[in-house]
Amino acid sequence: MTPGVASLIVTAELPEALQSRADQLRRLHYPPERNVLKAHVTLFHALPPSVEQELRDALAAEARAKPVPARLEGVMSLGRGTALRIASPAMLAIWKRLADRFHGLLTPQDEHAPRLHVTIQNKVSPHDAKHLQRSLADAIEPRDFAFAGLALHRYREGPWETLKRWSFRG
């Protein structure tokens, strides 16, 4: 990305109950000075602003489908953090269609299929991260859910500017 140009971020929207629980865990365990976002599942970290309208059209088209099935699988290590691991072949299929559409414009980080997750702790010592993972292992029960939609954000050096949310409708 060009310095000073705000990149676009695409996220998968969690259902309300899971969003609330993930936000609660994030408030409890994320370093407060760094916790400027709600819990989220990132699909793309940095798309160029020049594709905004095409991206809006693509996300709107994807959202015409039924809510996307997924499974909360448990706790995941991020090395210096902790996340909730999510499995969703259907969401990865959406990611693949979008990645193919915007091929050549993706950053190295966005060229690879994401490990779907919700970060609830980051930038802590590996010891602190492992401690939280052990303490949450039995508290986070695997369960099925459906993603509620997709969202587009603009990166603003901290909090993101939400541009639009699309709910799945099918």
Side-chain angles (χ1 to χ4, degrees), residues 59-121:
L59 294 172
E62 291 289 351
R64 290 187 190 106
K66 293 186 286 188
V68 174
R71 181 163 179 81
L72 171 62
E73 292 191 323
V75 177
M76 173 177 155
S77 173
L78 298 176
R80 297 180 58 86
T82 301
L84 303 177
R85 180 187 2 254
I86 297 173
S88 178
M91 186 56 72
L92 290 177
I94 290 173
W95 172 86
K96 176 73 170 125
R97 287 190 294 274
L98 293 170
D100 287 347
R101 184 170 183 161
F102 295 102
H103 177 78
L105 299 172
L106 303 179
T107 63
Q109 182 179 21
D110 286 338
E111 287 178 341
H112 305 285
R115 294 181 307 156
L116 299 176
H117 68 278
V118 178
T119 303
I120 58 170
Q121 177 194 52

Side-chain angles (χ1 to χ4, degrees), residues 12-16 63 65-68 91 145-150 166-169:
E13 297 280 283
L14 296 168
E16 188 175 323
K66 293 186 286 188
V68 174
M91 186 56 72
F145 70 93
F147 281 106
L150 300 165
W166 292 266
S167 295
F168 289 116
R169 298 189 306 217

Side-chain angles (χ1 to χ4, degrees), residues 7 15 17 32-33 58 64 66 78 90 119 125 138 141 150 154:
S7 59
E33 68 279 2
R64 290 187 190 106
K66 293 186 286 188
L78 298 176
T119 303
S125 73
D138 292 333
E141 294 184 22
L150 300 165
R154 188 178 318 281

Side-chain angles (χ1 to χ4, degrees), residues 8 11 17 20 79 89-90 105 107 128 149 159-160:
L8 301 172
T11 60
S20 178
L105 299 172
T107 63
D128 288 348
W160 299 346

